[in-house]
Amino acid sequence: MCGIIGYVGHREAEPILVEGLRRLEYRGYDSAGVATLTGPHLHLRKRAGRIADLARFLRDRPAPGCQGISHTRWATHGPANDRNAHPHVSSDGSIAVVHNGVIENYAILKRQLQDAGVIFDSDTDTEVIAQLLEQHYDGDLVDAVRKVLGMLKGTYGLAVVSARQPDLIVGARLGSPLVVGVGVGEHFLASDPAALMGATENVVYLQDGQMCALRADTWHVFDNNHIRIDAPIHRIDWDPIEADKGSFEHFMLKEIFEQPEALENAMRGRLSDEDATSHFGGLNLDARHLRSAERFVFTACGTSYHAALVGEYLFEELARLPVEVEYASELRYRNAPMDRNTIVLAITQSGETADTLAALRESKRKGHHTLALCNVVGSTIAREADGGVYLHAGPEIGVASTKAFCNQVSVLMMLALYMGRMRHLSSIQGLRMLKEVRALPGIVRRALDCHEQVQEIARKYYHVSNMLYLGRQYLYPVALEGALKLKEISYIHAEGYPAAEMKHGPIALVDGDTPSVFLIPSGGVADKVMSNLEEIKARGGPVIAIACDGDEELARHIEERADDVIFVPQVPEYLQPLVSVVPLQLLAYHIAVLRGCPRA
Ligand code: BG6
């Protein structure tokens, strides 16, 4: 995900911008750049590669001035090189733009501009915005941005400066987050409040369709009718100590180890022995409405989608409620028939993912009650859903979601208990579940004991090009999540499958260089998964098994067949996703570190 930081004030902008970019580094990027202003002179510095490369370049060619914008880019339009790095500047060199999001109609706009003689310097969609701004600038940058936004289709978080108005930064948001940092005699603009840590605690979250104009002494927000509004200032609820890596080498490892504590925070105050159920303050739905719900649609992206799939099994088993899980990117454009009593639940760590937000809005438009499970307090989805539950996982800095997944699954578990107790679960069953759920933080702590063993296994396999992850029932979504973690962090091709599906084609992929990670359940379908494991062994595929301890006969059986076995604590089947995911997170992390991948 790309990052934006802008500054206007009384201090030199360059160090503030570079420090802000470093704070956004965790999201991953492939190039970075800054544009600053001294009076009518615009200073552009950008580099493919790490922020350290940009910082080295800036040592030789500093970017002077007390105002500027900067960006970290993940290539989408055009390769990762110096030319395509942001900021992008108009042909006359007067206007610089940084942009998150995608301009869907950029090709048409670019062709029109080229027909009119404009020469482009990059392959990006963003440069179109800079060139259009040059064409429409008429002495007022806010007005020019407003006009150009009217021509764009797509999403943007945007920061713009002009050498003709060197005291001003203009920002705009549609589908890509942007916050204003309010200081004294200085103001900031950022795509993530994390970039502002240490700079200011006072932020204004821009809403979709809003623009802002920042000068050293003033900040103004305009609504989508271009009327100046009084936007509320929020104090960031952010503990800088929490965002520190501590003794861990990377945020991802730190966050994997924070899972027991994150689980405790997700459960705090939500479990009630008296009613043998869980309680939530923010659902904004009374019991009568919840009881009349006939169906849930869970919608999410990436890791959150996998948590939703676990939630589907939980809701159907514990609450006997039908659930459909939809990728948000599909749901937003689908016109599926949904009856009135369907509740749409969006699941998201950040609360800002564009597809999830669009799916939520589309569901609201169709009259459905919407709920959200979000981690980031005050995020757009948290604000726009009719009700919801916060995950309380704490800041998740690592680009690969780990502790947020853990808390998403645990909150879904508690919600399933809540819905189940309204329907058919007895108080005895409710109390038993409460006891099991309360034990989870300690159990996940024990699951983390496999760390060193996983590191050994990572050394054996980090060079491979393909890996398979196989599981059934509750552990099928965990197989998908294990594969996603490995892809996202280690850049190794990986696929997750329901174990029994292997024989219907994908088994052709198995050979001695393609390890399979088998998630073996403690009950139910364990024998069936073992026969799937035999199929893989028959083709000479190495097998890493994740199994519960406690069943000696099964353990012996697995040890005889698998090349490596990682034992995790024995838990009832519905809790297994939370213990089995731990070795998979650690495996992806250690393989990434051994391969020298920067996103770990
Ligand atoms: C992707 C991230 O961009 O967004 C994934 O790379 C993440 O790790 C996904 O799971 C969804 O994010 P969120 O914030 O909506 O849970």
Side-chain angles (χ1 to χ4, degrees):
M1 196 167 98
C2 309
I4 290 176
I5 170 111
Y7 174 80
V8 53
H10 49 82
R11 296 186 277 160
E12 275 298 302
E14 183 197 296
I16 297 167
L17 297 177
V18 173
E19 179 55 27
L21 292 182
R22 284 206 176 100
R23 290 197 184 283
L24 296 177
E25 209 169 7
Y26 68 88
R27 297 304 289 175
Y29 64 98
D30 49 38
S31 55
V34 305
T36 59
L37 288 162
T38 42
H41 303 291
L42 196 142
H43 311 278
L44 179 68
R45 312 280 186 264
K46 47 192 202 172
R47 273 288 175 271
R50 317 282 299 160
I51 290 170
D53 298 320
L54 175 69
R56 244 190 317 276
F57 181 48
L58 284 165
R59 268 203 297 278
D60 295 336
R61 292 192 57 205
C66 298
Q67 180 208 351
I69 54 176
S70 60
H71 192 259
T72 47
R73 168 178 192 250
W74 254 127
T76 54
H77 294 69
N81 55 28
D82 294 351
R83 241 170 23 90
N84 289 331
H86 297 215
H88 289 286
V89 174
S90 57
S91 296
D92 69 355
S94 69
I95 292 175
V97 177
V98 294
H99 164 227
N100 288 352
V102 175
I103 304 305
E104 287 162 10
N105 60 338
Y106 93 100
I108 299 171
L109 295 169
K110 185 169 178 173
R111 209 171 315 118
Q112 286 166 355
L113 287 160
Q114 284 171 324
D115 288 348
V118 175
I119 311 280
F120 276 76
D121 192 42
S122 78
D123 312 309
T124 65
D125 51 344
T126 303
E127 192 184 345
V128 166
I129 305 174
Q131 302 293 10
L132 283 171
L133 282 169
E134 181 191 317
Q135 310 259 315
H136 292 274
Y137 183 82
D138 195 12
D140 181 348
L141 188 61
V142 177
D143 206 46
V145 172
R146 184 176 299 154
K147 277 188 205 139
V148 169
L149 293 184
M151 302 172 193
L152 305 179
K153 282 198 188 123
T155 54
Y156 48 78
L158 210 62
V160 184
V161 290
S162 165
R164 297 196 197 127
Q165 283 177 273
D167 60 337
L168 175 68
I169 298 178
V170 178
R173 170 196 164 138
L174 189 72
S176 194
L178 215 51
V179 291
V180 174
V182 179
V184 179
E186 57 183 3
H187 292 105
F188 306 82
L189 190 63
S191 53
D192 180 339
L196 303 178
M197 204 198 300
T200 177
E201 288 177 339
N202 297 318
V203 299
V204 176
Y205 295 97
L206 289 193
Q207 311 289 331
D208 273 350
Q210 290 183 344
M211 284 177 58
C212 66
L214 311 181
R215 292 183 167 82
D217 295 320
T218 57
W219 61 274
H220 295 142
V221 175
F222 306 91
D223 70 7
N224 47 13
N225 295 316
H226 314 311
I227 294 168
R228 225 181 103 187
I229 55 163
D230 285 331
I233 297 182
H234 297 263
R235 254 183 100 77
I236 305 177
D237 181 17
W238 181 275
D239 181 351
I241 295 157
E242 262 191 288
D244 210 280
K245 283 204 285 273
S247 57
F248 291 94
E249 206 182 328
H250 298 98
F251 279 114
M252 182 176 173
L253 189 61
K254 175 177 181 254
E255 287 159 10
I256 292 171
F257 274 85
E258 279 172 352
Q259 290 180 113
E261 202 188 324
L263 278 169
E264 279 161 8
N265 291 336
M267 291 175 198
R268 187 162 296 123
R270 288 176 171 161
L271 305 179
S272 157
D273 283 329
E274 203 182 324
D275 303 319
T277 188
S278 45
H279 285 303
F280 302 94
L283 293 179
N284 298 335
L285 266 181
D286 59 31
R288 195 169 50 85
H289 277 110
L290 278 171
R291 216 172 288 118
S292 63
E294 281 166 11
R295 184 165 160 261
F296 272 77
V297 170
F298 294 170
T299 190
C301 303
T303 290
S304 301
Y305 174 81
H306 298 150
L309 289 175
V310 177
E312 179 181 20
Y313 285 88
L314 289 165
F315 264 55
E316 294 190 350
E317 183 177 336
L318 301 170
R320 312 295 307 148
L321 261 167
V323 172
E324 194 180 338
V325 184
E326 271 276 2
Y327 281 115
S329 52
E330 289 298 310
L331 184 66
R332 63 182 290 192
Y333 295 117
R334 219 179 120 185
N335 201 11
M338 291 206 271
D339 58 51
R340 258 184 323 119
N341 293 333
T342 298
I343 295 178
V344 177
L345 174 71
I347 303 174
T348 163
Q349 188 286 125
S350 61
E352 301 291 351
T353 303
D355 284 324
T356 311
L357 178 58
L360 180 97
R361 286 179 176 162
E362 180 63 14
S363 307
K364 278 181 84 166
R365 215 169 283 130
K366 289 184 170 149
H368 294 288
H369 191 87
T370 57
L371 297 176
L373 304 193
C374 291
N375 194 37
V376 177
V377 176
S379 55
T380 310
I381 292 175
R383 291 195 307 266
E384 291 198 15
D386 297 316
V389 184
Y390 279 122
L391 301 175
H392 297 317
E396 191 170 69
I397 308 289
V399 70
S401 181
T402 53
K403 61 177 180 170
F405 172 82
C406 178
N407 279 21
Q408 284 165 343
V409 171
S410 68
V411 169
L412 285 163
M413 223 166 250
M414 290 187 279
L415 267 176
L417 167 64
Y418 180 66
M419 297 299 292
R421 282 286 290 130
M422 274 184 187
R423 287 154 186 264
H424 71 103
L425 281 182
S426 70
S427 62
I428 305 286
Q429 287 168 308
L431 283 174
R432 196 182 57 225
M433 252 192 89
L434 285 179
K435 191 166 166 228
E436 290 164 350
V437 167
R438 277 203 186 98
L440 265 174
I443 289 168
V444 170
R445 209 164 270 130
R446 273 171 46 216
L448 286 161
D449 289 344
C450 68
H451 185 198
E452 280 177 23
Q453 188 196 359
V454 174
Q455 211 166 347
E456 279 302 308
I457 295 172
R459 277 192 205 108
K460 233 164 122 177
Y461 294 113
Y462 76 92
H463 57 276
V464 301
S465 309
N466 298 292
M467 260 172 99
L468 294 167
Y469 287 75
L470 307 162
R472 296 179 75 156
Q473 300 292 299
Y474 278 108
L475 295 179
Y476 160 53
V478 180
L480 295 178
E481 175 57 9
L484 177 65
K485 286 284 87 88
L486 193 76
K487 283 185 261 213
E488 196 173 7
I489 295 301
S490 312
Y491 309 166
I492 291 178
H493 170 245
E495 296 290 345
Y497 269 102
E501 274 299 300
M502 285 304 289
K503 58 181 170 295
H504 301 297
I507 199 154
L509 296 171
V510 174
D511 61 19
D513 295 323
T514 307
S516 296
V517 178
F518 262 88
L519 295 156
I520 303 181
S522 55
V525 288
D527 289 349
K528 299 204 178 301
V529 177
M530 285 309 292
S531 29
N532 303 141
L533 192 154
E534 299 286 1
E535 290 159 15
I536 300 287
K537 287 308 296 175
R539 297 186 70 95
V543 167
I544 305 159
I546 318 284
C548 291
D549 57 18
D551 181 337
E552 281 180 25
E553 201 187 318
L554 180 62
R556 217 177 10 258
H557 191 48
I558 300 168
E559 278 174 325
E560 277 164 18
R561 279 155 183 81
D563 298 79
D564 292 280
V565 189
I566 301 164
F567 286 104
V568 288
Q570 173 91 268
V571 282
E573 254 181 293
Y574 75 98
L575 300 180
Q576 274 183 24
L578 287 176
V579 286
S580 300
V581 78
V582 170
L584 305 193
Q585 295 166 337
L586 289 167
L587 187 64
Y589 168 77
H590 284 296
I591 290 183
V593 171
L594 288 164
R595 289 167 72 93
C597 294
R599 300 179 86 195

